[in-house]
């Protein structure tokens, strides 16, 4: 289990005594097989299984990444050897040292140009995503419904990775897209005023909710406890999600290869681990 007093999921776990039992083992006693089996299966295992599963999943992911790296290294090594043989054959009657240098220089320049192109494309996507967040804040974010006694609204609290918390009420008929747009509006840097937001979407994005795709979001949402991902889907109403009907708390998590705040380095929201009874 996690070390006592830490909420860091990356810390090394330790063996932990989760509970102790003593007393008669007779029928109905606290250490009888029936009592112990019931406690283990209904109380203890459901509490510790999520953390143990995360450990197994993390190990499986590391194994998969290591295997992928090995396969890539083998493929790169094979390609490099094939290139070397072609170069040697071509340069048999030529000045080998100069030709090899020229080829290596050409490869370096191509790789450098490719890296620059990929970086420029990513920066442009991030700039356009930020512009789309601002466009959505101005044109797609609906006003918060007025609170009326007995009104039928959904109250949702949103916790950002920086620890700040924002609460908003939504209509029953509002969509999951409305919630995502609200969260996106909270990620816009404070120095960018709403009055300066664009009226049209940037290149690569379409106007209105109908043109929204998964590529639009730099984050994902999850119910805080018990954790349950709240994936974005077009035309899905908030009231159709049973976990949201009475109100809920959601956390914002980063998406791989995307900046949580467009134009800056995103940081994923931290997870809290199970703490044993001794903690």
């Amino acid at each position: 289990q996690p070390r006592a007093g830490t909420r860091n999921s990356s810390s090394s776990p330790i063996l932990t005594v989760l509970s102790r039992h003593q007393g008669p083992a007779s029928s109905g006693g606290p250490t009888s097989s029936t009592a112990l089996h019931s406690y283990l299966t209904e109380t203890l295992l459901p509490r510790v299984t999520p953390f143990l599963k995360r450990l197994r999943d993390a190990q499986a992911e590391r194994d998969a990444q290591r295997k992928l790296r090995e396969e890539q290294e083998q493929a790169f090594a094979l390609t490099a050897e094939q290139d070397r043989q072609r170069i040697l054959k071509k340069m048999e009657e030529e000045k080998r040292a100069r030709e090899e240098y020229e080829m290596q220089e050409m490869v370096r320049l191509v790789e450098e140009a490719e890296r620059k192109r990929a970086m420029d494309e990513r920066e442009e996507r991030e700039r356009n995503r930020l512009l789309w967040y601002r466009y959505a804040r101005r044109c797609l974010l609906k006003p918060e419904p007025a609170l009326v006694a007995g009104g039928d609204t959904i109250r949702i609290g949103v916790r950002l990775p920086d620890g700040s918390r924002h609460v908003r009420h939504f209509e029953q008929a509002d969509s999951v897209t409305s919630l995502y747009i609200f969260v996106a509006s909270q990620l816009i840097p404070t120095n960018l005023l709403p009055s300066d937001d664009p009226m049209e979407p940037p290149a690569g994005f379409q106007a209105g909710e109908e043109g929204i795709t998964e590529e639009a979001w730099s984050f994902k949402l999850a119910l805080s406890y018990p954790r349950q991902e709240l994936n974005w889907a077009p035309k899905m109403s908030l009231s159709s999600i049973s976990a949201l009907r009475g109100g809920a708390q959601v956390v914002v998590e980063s998406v791989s290869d995307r900046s949580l705040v467009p134009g800056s380095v995103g940081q994923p929201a931290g997870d809290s681990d199970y703490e044993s009874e001794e903690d």
Side-chain angles (χ1 to χ4, degrees), residues 220-239:
K220 59 183 178 181
L221 300 179
L223 295 171
S224 57
Y225 185 82
R227 187 184 182 283
Q228 174 186 341
E229 287 195 9
L230 189 61
N231 296 320
W232 173 82
K235 299 181 180 179
M236 177 184 291
S237 66
L238 295 173
S239 60

Side-chain angles (χ1 to χ4, degrees), residues 93-121:
E93 298 178 356
E94 299 177 354
K95 295 180 179 181
R96 180 174 179 178
R98 184 180 64 186
E99 291 293 332
E100 185 174 358
Y101 169 79
E102 291 176 354
M103 181 170 291
Q104 292 175 349
E105 183 66 12
M106 180 181 63
V107 170
R108 186 188 67 80
L109 292 175
V110 170
E111 291 178 347
E112 183 178 346
E114 181 64 22
R115 286 194 299 270
K116 185 178 184 304
R117 183 188 64 81
M119 183 178 298
D120 291 343
E121 290 180 354

Side-chain angles (χ1 to χ4, degrees), residues 9 31 41 51 74 78 86 94 108 203 217 226 246 272:
S9 60
T31 61
T41 57
F51 177 73
Q74 292 175 357
L78 178 61
R86 286 195 296 268
E94 299 177 354
R108 186 188 67 80
W217 313 112
S272 58

Side-chain angles (χ1 to χ4, degrees), residues 42-54:
E42 298 178 6
T43 301
L44 187 59
L45 287 178
R47 297 174 63 187
V48 301
T49 296
F51 177 73
L52 298 178
K53 182 178 183 300
R54 285 199 293 273

Side-chain angles (χ1 to χ4, degrees), residues 1-156:
Q1 292 297 292
R3 293 180 180 273
T6 180
R7 304 178 68 85
N8 186 356
S9 60
S10 63
S11 62
S12 299
I14 60 174
L15 290 177
T16 305
V17 177
L18 299 179
S19 64
R20 295 181 174 88
H21 303 263
Q22 64 184 16
S26 58
S27 176
T31 61
S32 66
S33 60
T34 301
L36 291 177
H37 181 271
S38 176
Y39 176 79
L40 289 173
T41 57
E42 298 178 6
T43 301
L44 187 59
L45 287 178
R47 297 174 63 187
V48 301
T49 296
F51 177 73
L52 298 178
K53 182 178 183 300
R54 285 199 293 273
L55 291 181
R56 288 193 294 268
D57 291 347
Q59 181 62 44
E61 182 178 357
R62 288 192 295 270
D63 293 341
Q65 291 176 350
R66 182 175 65 253
K67 182 178 179 181
L68 178 60
R69 287 194 299 270
E70 292 174 352
E71 292 175 349
Q72 290 176 337
E73 290 174 356
Q74 292 175 357
F76 292 157
L78 178 61
T79 301
E81 177 62 20
Q82 293 173 344
D83 291 342
R84 190 181 71 85
Q85 293 297 333
R86 286 195 296 268
I87 291 173
L88 291 176
K89 183 177 180 180
K90 180 179 179 181
M91 297 175 60
E92 286 177 352
E93 298 178 356
E94 299 177 354
K95 295 180 179 181
R96 180 174 179 178
R98 184 180 64 186
E99 291 293 332
E100 185 174 358
Y101 169 79
E102 291 176 354
M103 181 170 291
Q104 292 175 349
E105 183 66 12
M106 180 181 63
V107 170
R108 186 188 67 80
L109 292 175
V110 170
E111 291 178 347
E112 183 178 346
E114 181 64 22
R115 286 194 299 270
K116 185 178 184 304
R117 183 188 64 81
M119 183 178 298
D120 291 343
E121 290 180 354
R122 184 178 186 277
E123 290 177 352
E124 183 179 4
R125 286 197 302 269
E126 294 295 336
R127 287 194 298 268
N128 287 341
R129 186 178 290 116
L130 178 58
L131 287 174
W132 187 84
Y133 279 8
R134 298 180 64 192
Y135 158 76
R137 177 172 67 176
R138 181 164 192 167
C139 300
L140 303 183
L141 182 61
K142 300 178 181 178
E144 185 173 8
L147 298 181
V148 180
D152 192 14
T153 60
I154 300 175
R155 181 179 183 273
I156 298 179

Side-chain angles (χ1 to χ4, degrees), residues 249-267:
Q249 302 289 331
V250 299
V251 295
V252 180
E253 300 178 351
S254 63
V255 176
S256 176
D257 299 329
R258 300 181 192 178
S259 297
L260 181 62
V261 178
S264 64
V265 178
Q267 294 293 338

